[in-house]
Amino acid sequence: MALVNCRVCGSRVSEDADPCPVCGNKDIIGAKSKSRLLKKVFGVSVAIVALSYLWFVQIPELREKGIFPKTHQK
């Protein structure tokens, strides 16, 4: 049972308190903002995997078929 600061009023309350006894805020530790952050991290991770797949798998195959232009080599 740790004490945390309420996101709305800043009072030190138990993290198990629901709602904050001072201001009545129901989301004391910011569970909603943590959920949004996890969604963003997941979205960025999916985008990185997709772009890596395109870069390392699809583009070399397209270059071999002559569909994607080859880079200039000196």
Side-chain angles (χ1 to χ4, degrees):
M1 211 163 82
L3 293 177
V4 295
N5 291 332
C6 174
R7 292 183 337 115
V8 175
C9 68
S11 300
R12 299 283 292 167
V13 296
S14 168
E15 67 181 0
D16 297 331
D18 186 39
C20 173
V22 177
C23 68
N25 178 31
K26 293 186 179 189
D27 189 24
I28 294 174
I29 59 173
K32 292 178 184 176
S33 62
K34 288 180 184 178
S35 174
R36 279 188 236 130
L37 176 64
L38 287 175
K39 287 179 184 178
K40 288 179 183 178
V41 168
F42 179 75
V44 168
S45 300
V46 168
I48 289 172
V49 169
L51 290 173
S52 297
Y53 172 76
L54 288 174
W55 185 261
F56 292 109
V57 176
Q58 290 297 314
I59 291 177
E61 289 179 7
L62 294 175
R63 283 190 179 139
E64 288 175 8
K65 293 178 183 177
I67 298 171
F68 196 81
K70 294 184 179 184
T71 57
H72 297 287
Q73 296 178 357
K74 292 184 180 181

